[in-house]
Amino acid sequence: MVDESDESLMLRYCKGEVRAFEVLVKRHRKPVYNFIFRFVRDAAQADDVLQETFLRLIKSSAGYEQQARFTTWLYTIARNLCIDAARRGIHRQVVSLDAPFDGDGTATLGDRLAAEQAGTDREALGRELQLRVHTALAALPDEQREIFLLREVADLQFDEIARVVGCPANTVKSRMRYALEKLRVALEDYHEPSELSPPAGVRQELIK
Amino acid sequence: MTTESDICQRLLEFAYDELDPAQAERFAAHLAACARCSTELEGIRRVRRAIPLALPQVEPPGSEARLMEAAERHRPRRRRLVMLARVASHPAYSAAACLVVLSGVLAFQIMRGRLGIFRRDVQEVSLPAPEAPFYAAPPPPAEASRLPAGAVAPAAAPSASEESRPRFAAEPKRPVANDDALATMKKAKRMAVHSASPPAEPLARRQMVAAKTADKAEGAAGEEGEAEESAVKGRVVSGVVGGAASGAAGAPLRVAAQESAPEREAERALQAGRCDQAVTLYDQLQQRDRRYQPPARIRAAYAHCLRLLGRTRQARETLDSLKAEKAVPTAEPETATPPVRAREK
């Protein structure tokens, strides 16, 4: 069951086999969460969106047809919910002034980064790098950022991203190039610590 | 033929290992000769090296168990059959089905220029039109608009079409459903005066919007004022639709359940936006009965209040319970919309 394709697991769930769905959850929960989290930039909200994503998946499973790739479907739902959530996030910032008890979304980027990496020297070295990447990502236009995240965090291929966001593959690629270029500029005068730039042979491995 | 710039387009796929081995080899050869590509590739690789550290994979905070619970609860079991059986057993749905059949027959008759003989039947059905589609299951918009058009068509051939008559004989079911549903709707309307939609709007459209609002609001519920209002709106309307179905089937109606005085007071506070007061009152109700939940139609607003007061966990549970309940009446429209991507877009 572990190596079974997403699609066939989904079909089995559609026939009522809950175990098959469990495998799907185990397989995709973390990457989908990470995509959502990097998109909405709020852990609590990301968790909500994650729940909602799977709930929609479950509820519309009766209409599932194998012609649609499972991950395409999954990330289409997640992305749409992220866009909704991000829109609400804009309102929320206004609301939160009146709602001091709202535990979500109050931590600053700095706080979160610090919490995320309570730690080791190696990670402390990366703090500047993190700030640079996060800032550059935040400055990207939405349509570039989502493609960057779908490729780098969700690890979808470009043609699949094109189906998720509903635009031609060439558009996806050109947006990705813009995003990469801006990130490259953001990292331009950043000196990689030596352990981050391993010799060329290992580099390939690291990228994969 | 592949030109130089065509091959440059492959850079991203090469950088992300999406080329097949032959293509990758060809690109590697190109790379040695193209300074622009090799510079850009170096930039891409530099960014990619930073990603694992800059965006480390984090563990989702919630538990798998809750997802699996939902998966268990909504497990599909031959839904199509269940759906058919349900449709067949609900007068409201069969009324809608009759409507569809009727309008099909009508269209057929119009095409054949034989409408005249059916003029009386048509009027009987189309007179309550301003209200009828509101509580019957939503007919496809095309049907809804076709019906009134047929109703005013002029009388022509007086010859009765024998094979069409029996189909109309099934119609008397409809008024029965109407009575039940009408009573239901009056109740629901009383509870939801503020949610009245403008009557001028085409009915089928209004329903679709309402269904959409309900769907959206479910995710949005409790995020901000607008969402709250639309949540309440959407829910009330869908409550009416679902309620009409269950009311017609003789089941007790959720919307019209008996409410106690504290409940009414809590609801008033909720609608007035006095979250703290509403939540306190609901807390008291829940102390009395641990399983108590506010009525479904206002639960989204309640969740919103909980969230405003920082009780996000409870807010989430409340929304989940709502979804779980809502899943039953909305199962049909949802399962009836098959293609995955079309629905999500």
Side-chain angles (χ1 to χ4, degrees):
Chain A
M1 203 191 239
V2 181
D3 295 327
E4 206 177 328
S5 79
D6 293 339
E7 290 74 21
S8 95
L9 285 166
M10 192 64 207
L11 285 177
R12 280 168 53 185
Y13 174 63
C14 291
K15 286 176 197 145
E17 225 179 292
V18 181
R19 290 282 305 164
F21 195 77
E22 196 173 350
V23 179
L24 285 172
V25 168
K26 283 200 194 311
R27 204 178 275 177
H28 294 286
R29 195 170 74 106
K30 190 171 168 185
V32 177
Y33 173 77
N34 274 273
F35 165 70
I36 296 169
F37 174 56
R38 298 303 176 189
F39 197 121
V40 302
R41 285 175 277 169
D42 177 298
Q45 200 179 18
D47 190 40
D48 283 350
V49 174
L50 179 75
Q51 302 289 335
E52 183 63 24
T53 301
F54 275 99
L55 207 72
R56 298 242 173 146
L57 206 71
I58 290 165
K59 283 187 178 174
S60 50
S61 56
Y64 178 71
E65 282 159 29
Q66 205 173 358
Q67 63 206 34
R69 207 173 147 184
F70 177 78
T71 44
T72 311
W73 181 30
L74 178 63
Y75 280 96
T76 304
I77 298 176
R79 172 206 176 236
N80 288 342
L81 290 171
C82 279
I83 291 174
D84 290 348
R87 260 184 222 141
R88 287 199 306 274
I90 296 166
H91 296 287
R92 200 221 298 252
Q93 282 166 9
V94 182
V95 171
S96 65
L97 291 175
D98 305 324
F101 293 114
D102 189 345
D104 307 338
T106 46
T108 65
L109 178 65
D111 291 346
R112 194 168 309 121
L113 291 181
E116 241 173 45
Q117 48 160 21
T120 68
D121 289 346
R122 186 187 134 85
E123 280 168 343
L125 272 176
R127 188 167 306 173
E128 192 201 341
L129 176 81
Q130 289 199 338
L131 269 173
R132 280 170 183 249
V133 171
H134 283 251
T135 318
L137 269 180
L140 285 183
D142 292 346
E143 72 268 17
Q144 288 174 23
R145 187 175 50 245
E146 67 176 9
I147 282 164
F148 182 85
L149 294 178
L150 283 168
R151 182 57 260 204
E152 283 291 350
V153 179
D155 200 24
L156 300 189
Q157 299 209 337
F158 291 114
D159 54 351
E160 196 172 4
I161 296 175
R163 282 192 293 273
V164 168
V165 302
C167 69
N170 280 335
T171 313
V172 168
K173 281 187 249 169
S174 76
R175 284 177 189 170
M176 184 70 184
R177 278 170 103 145
Y178 282 122
L180 283 165
E181 176 58 18
K182 283 174 197 157
L183 279 155
R184 187 192 65 77
V185 171
L187 296 176
E188 201 151 50
D189 54 347
Y190 170 75
H191 298 288
E192 291 176 81
S194 54
E195 74 225 72
L196 289 181
S197 50
V202 189
R203 207 175 275 173
Q204 233 12 62
E205 282 305 300
L206 198 83
I207 286 170
K208 280 172 199 168
Chain B
M1 194 192 99
T2 345
T3 65
E4 276 297 288
S5 70
D6 277 344
I7 202 154
C8 289
Q9 295 300 317
R10 292 278 162 88
L11 173 61
L12 266 193
E13 283 137 302
F14 180 78
Y16 283 87
D17 254 338
E18 289 188 17
L19 294 178
D20 62 46
Q23 288 171 321
E25 204 175 304
R26 221 176 314 146
F27 189 86
H30 161 76
L31 206 55
C34 180
R36 244 182 52 208
C37 280
S38 48
T39 314
E40 194 177 338
L41 183 64
E42 188 39 50
I44 293 172
R45 287 190 166 155
R46 201 174 138 83
V47 173
R48 298 206 68 197
R49 277 198 299 277
I51 295 305
L53 201 63
L55 305 173
Q57 292 269 314
V58 292
E59 279 297 330
S63 71
E64 252 172 50
R66 264 180 49 224
L67 290 178
M68 290 318 298
E69 231 171 71
E72 180 76 52
R73 209 166 42 225
H74 300 285
R75 174 159 55 125
R77 11 182 128 73
R78 300 188 179 276
R79 282 236 205 134
R80 278 163 220 277
L81 284 181
V82 174
M83 188 180 102
L84 273 178
R86 246 191 241 160
V87 168
S89 66
H90 280 265
Y93 282 111
S94 38
C98 286
L99 242 170
V100 172
V101 170
L102 173 68
S103 51
V105 172
L106 260 178
F108 183 63
Q109 290 301 327
I110 292 169
M111 266 167 34
R112 298 180 55 181
R114 284 198 186 175
L115 184 78
I117 194 69
F118 295 107
R119 204 177 180 190
R120 242 191 88 244
D121 305 32
V122 168
Q123 276 172 349
E124 268 169 21
V125 175
S126 61
L127 274 181
E131 275 186 343
F134 189 59
Y135 48 77
E143 257 74 36
S145 58
R146 206 184 296 156
L147 190 60
V152 293
S159 71
S161 163
E162 286 305 320
E163 82 270 17
S164 311
R165 278 257 178 221
R167 283 194 229 177
F168 281 96
E171 268 312 284
K173 261 186 179 175
R174 193 184 155 70
V176 177
N178 282 1
D179 286 345
D180 269 354
L182 201 61
T184 303
M185 199 181 72
K186 276 184 185 153
K187 275 183 204 165
K189 258 191 180 166
R190 239 190 356 256
M191 327 279 302
V193 259
H194 67 286
S195 80
S197 316
E201 214 176 334
L203 292 161
R205 207 182 90 87
R206 201 196 308 160
Q207 272 175 338
M208 279 165 62
V209 172
K212 264 192 190 152
T213 322
D215 209 36
K216 270 238 165 78
E218 197 184 311
E223 292 296 335
E224 87 274 5
E226 294 156 37
E228 180 194 337
E229 206 185 300
S230 64
V232 176
K233 249 187 192 176
R235 202 141 305 291
V236 168
V237 178
S238 72
V240 172
V241 174
S246 59
L253 190 63
R254 221 186 318 153
V255 204
Q258 285 290 318
E259 280 179 307
S260 62
E263 257 189 306
R264 275 197 299 277
E265 201 180 322
E267 191 178 332
R268 266 201 299 278
L270 193 63
Q271 279 166 354
R274 299 192 302 270
C275 276
D276 43 354
Q277 194 188 344
V279 169
T280 312
L281 286 163
Y282 282 126
D283 280 350
Q284 284 164 3
L285 285 162
Q286 268 159 3
Q287 268 162 21
R288 247 176 274 165
D289 175 8
R290 264 193 310 127
R291 283 174 311 170
Y292 174 79
Q293 283 282 2
R297 85 203 124 83
I298 49 168
R299 212 175 297 163
Y302 170 59
H304 171 62
C305 274
L306 285 172
R307 193 171 295 209
L308 273 183
L309 294 174
R311 288 158 60 173
T312 45
R313 189 191 173 80
Q314 203 186 340
R316 212 178 294 149
E317 282 166 6
T318 305
L319 284 177
D320 282 350
S321 71
L322 188 61
K323 280 166 205 155
E325 280 179 34
K326 197 195 153 220
V328 182
T330 58
E332 280 79 28
E334 235 171 39
T335 50
T337 328
V340 166
R341 261 180 283 141
R343 209 180 82 83
E344 282 306 328
K345 257 167 203 170

